[in-house]
Amino acid sequence: MSKKKHKTNRESRVIISELMLPSHSNFSGKIHGGYILSLMDQIAFACASKHSEAYCVTASVDKVDFLKPIEVGELVTMKASVNHVGTTSMVVGVRVESENIQTGVIKHCNSSYFTMVAKNPEGKSIPIPGLILENKTAIRRFVRSIIRKEDAKARRDRFKASEFELESHLEILEKYNVKITLKN
């Protein structure tokens, strides 16, 4: 079977649901964030692999905000789709919702973006199909992925350790509850 040159995000979309059990909870009785992150990584892998028709690895995860806690007994549904593609990598958007199965109330708990890279059996990055943008939502997601990528590069450039000058940043620390004890 030959690979397509371009695919829609519908062709690689993945949706999973799982009932949250007491074994998934943390000490406060809410579902452990690490467990949710693990599920998110799995669905991002499945979506990226489906798009690329290859094994994929996680290169990075964009900011993760836990918006609302997930309770034991709720049904968690995760939706993943390819939002952006490069030559060998793609950005997979993952949305996490939980549903109280007794009341039917659904809440948005988390969204994040996983950069995934397609690999061949030898571990080398390989080209992936392009993305067909079929509607305004797909275009918006693609453009936002480009902006997030540019923002991340600017952040990395801003925080290069080799260019850090302590003296020019000391006033920032005055607002915080820190005590500086430099030893020479």
Side-chain angles (χ1 to χ4, degrees):
M1 179 168 81
S2 64
K3 289 187 181 187
K4 291 182 175 182
K5 287 190 182 258
H6 290 82
K7 290 183 174 183
T8 66
N9 66 5
R10 280 183 292 110
E11 292 177 84
S12 54
R13 191 172 293 148
V14 177
I15 300 172
I16 62 168
S17 294
E18 184 174 330
L19 184 64
M20 294 296 103
L21 303 174
S23 61
H24 304 139
S25 67
N26 59 25
F27 292 112
S28 69
K30 308 297 184 197
I31 300 305
H32 195 312
Y35 183 71
I36 297 300
L37 283 172
S38 175
L39 290 177
M40 292 173 74
D41 190 51
Q42 289 175 42
I43 193 172
F45 167 83
C47 181
S49 295
K50 198 170 173 184
H51 181 82
S52 65
E53 299 175 23
Y55 178 78
C56 292
V57 296
T58 306
S60 68
V61 181
D62 197 52
K63 181 177 158 177
V64 179
D65 289 322
F66 293 95
L67 306 173
K68 296 189 173 115
I70 300 172
E71 308 290 337
V72 170
E74 290 185 332
L75 183 66
V76 167
T77 298
M78 296 189 182
K79 302 171 185 177
S81 64
V82 175
N83 290 354
H84 178 272
V85 295
T87 306
T88 62
S89 68
M90 64 214 95
V91 174
V92 176
V94 178
R95 180 180 174 93
V96 180
E97 297 174 341
S98 69
E99 178 181 358
N100 181 312
I101 55 178
Q102 294 173 329
T103 66
V105 173
I106 296 173
K107 58 188 175 186
H108 175 212
C109 300
N110 186 321
S111 288
S112 193
Y113 305 92
F114 288 69
T115 300
M116 309 297 289
V117 179
K119 300 285 187 175
N120 68 12
E122 292 76 40
K124 301 280 185 196
S125 298
I126 58 171
I128 61 170
L131 192 60
I132 298 169
L133 305 176
E134 297 183 296
N135 53 47
K136 285 184 179 181
T137 299
I139 295 168
R140 177 179 48 81
R141 288 175 177 168
F142 195 93
V143 169
R144 284 186 174 172
S145 291
I146 293 169
I147 293 168
R148 272 192 303 280
K149 186 177 180 178
E150 290 171 352
D151 288 349
K153 184 186 180 322
R155 202 169 39 247
R156 280 191 308 274
D157 291 347
R158 182 176 173 208
F159 292 119
K160 284 184 179 173
S162 62
E163 298 172 9
F164 183 78
E165 295 177 17
L166 178 63
E167 294 74 26
S168 64
H169 292 88
L170 284 175
E171 69 182 49
I172 292 173
L173 297 173
E174 292 174 2
K175 301 181 219 170
Y176 295 91
N177 185 19
V178 296
K179 181 178 180 181
I180 299 173
T181 59
L182 296 177
K183 297 191 168 103
N184 293 342

